[in-house]
Amino acid sequence: MTRIKYFQELFQRYRRPGDLVFAAVFLLFALFLLSQLGEQTKWVKRTKWYGQPSLWPSVAVWGMVIFGAFHLLGSVVSPRIPGRLKEVAFWLRSLEYVLYFLAYVAVVPLCGYLPSTILFALFLTLRAGFRRPQHMVLAAVFATCVALVFRGFLQVKIPAGELYQHLPDALRAFALSYL
């Protein structure tokens, strides 16, 4: 004997705490991207459909909207599990690192790429709980290598620091180019 499944049973799943909030935020983000699609990509006349610059971004964003709506629908009809606020607070803690990165971006033009990268790496090493001298040395060496590879070898255009203006002439030219 076959049993008829009702609408709620079709979309019911086991929801984790914070899933409803995540589903709503994801759908809102997907709808925002959909609203920007016409401004950011174009459909070019006399170009085959599979060669259109807007084809794959449109497929991706529409997919995000459709699956985001199904995710939200599934979250709404699933039984509520306590702990949503605790889960959302856990997600928001990651914004701490966004603030660190914004501070780093603000400090680079003042102190220069190499000193800022070393300080940032040391700070994040401490923040992650690594306090041994070996960890600090490794973080400083890693930061130095990253700065030298990006600035010196790859010639990535990163603003030179105001701090470099106070160096002696010969060292200033080197620091402005490679550090």
Side-chain angles (χ1 to χ4, degrees):
M1 177 172 141
T2 4
R3 187 172 170 275
I4 297 174
K5 291 191 175 187
Y6 293 100
F7 180 75
Q8 285 185 334
E9 289 178 304
L10 288 173
F11 288 97
Q12 186 173 8
R13 59 190 174 76
Y14 296 101
R15 181 168 91 185
R16 299 211 179 272
D19 189 46
L20 181 65
V21 176
F22 176 80
V25 170
F26 184 85
L27 182 59
L28 288 174
F29 179 66
L31 290 170
F32 168 74
L33 290 178
L34 184 64
S35 75
Q36 301 302 305
L37 209 52
E39 297 292 320
Q40 300 299 321
T41 60
K42 300 293 178 206
W43 290 96
V44 181
K45 293 180 183 178
R46 287 180 243 135
T47 302
K48 295 182 178 168
W49 69 271
Y50 54 83
Q52 291 288 339
S54 189
L55 175 66
W56 292 112
S58 297
V59 168
V61 171
W62 275 105
M64 286 176 66
V65 170
I66 291 167
F67 291 112
F70 281 131
H71 184 190
L72 182 62
L73 180 63
S75 292
V76 168
V77 299
S78 297
R80 184 176 186 277
I81 296 174
R84 180 185 312 159
L85 187 59
K86 183 180 176 185
E87 183 75 16
V88 172
F90 180 74
W91 295 344
L92 291 176
R93 284 187 7 207
S94 66
L95 293 178
E96 169 189 2
Y97 292 92
V98 172
L99 294 175
Y100 294 153
F101 180 72
L102 291 174
Y104 169 71
V105 168
V107 169
V108 167
L110 301 173
C111 296
Y113 186 55
L114 178 62
S116 299
T117 304
I118 292 172
L119 287 172
F120 187 68
L122 292 173
F123 171 73
L124 285 181
T125 302
L126 288 171
R127 177 63 185 92
F130 297 102
R131 307 252 189 288
R132 299 169 101 190
Q134 304 94 298
H135 297 139
M136 302 307 286
V137 169
L138 280 172
V141 168
F142 174 76
T144 303
C145 291
V146 166
L148 292 177
V149 166
F150 273 81
R151 205 49 214 256
F153 180 66
L154 297 175
Q155 294 293 312
V156 175
K157 303 295 181 214
I158 298 169
E162 292 293 322
L163 184 69
Y164 295 167
Q165 300 301 329
H166 303 290
L167 296 173
D169 290 339
L171 190 55
R172 181 182 322 128
F174 177 77
L176 289 172
S177 298
Y178 300 106
L179 305 178

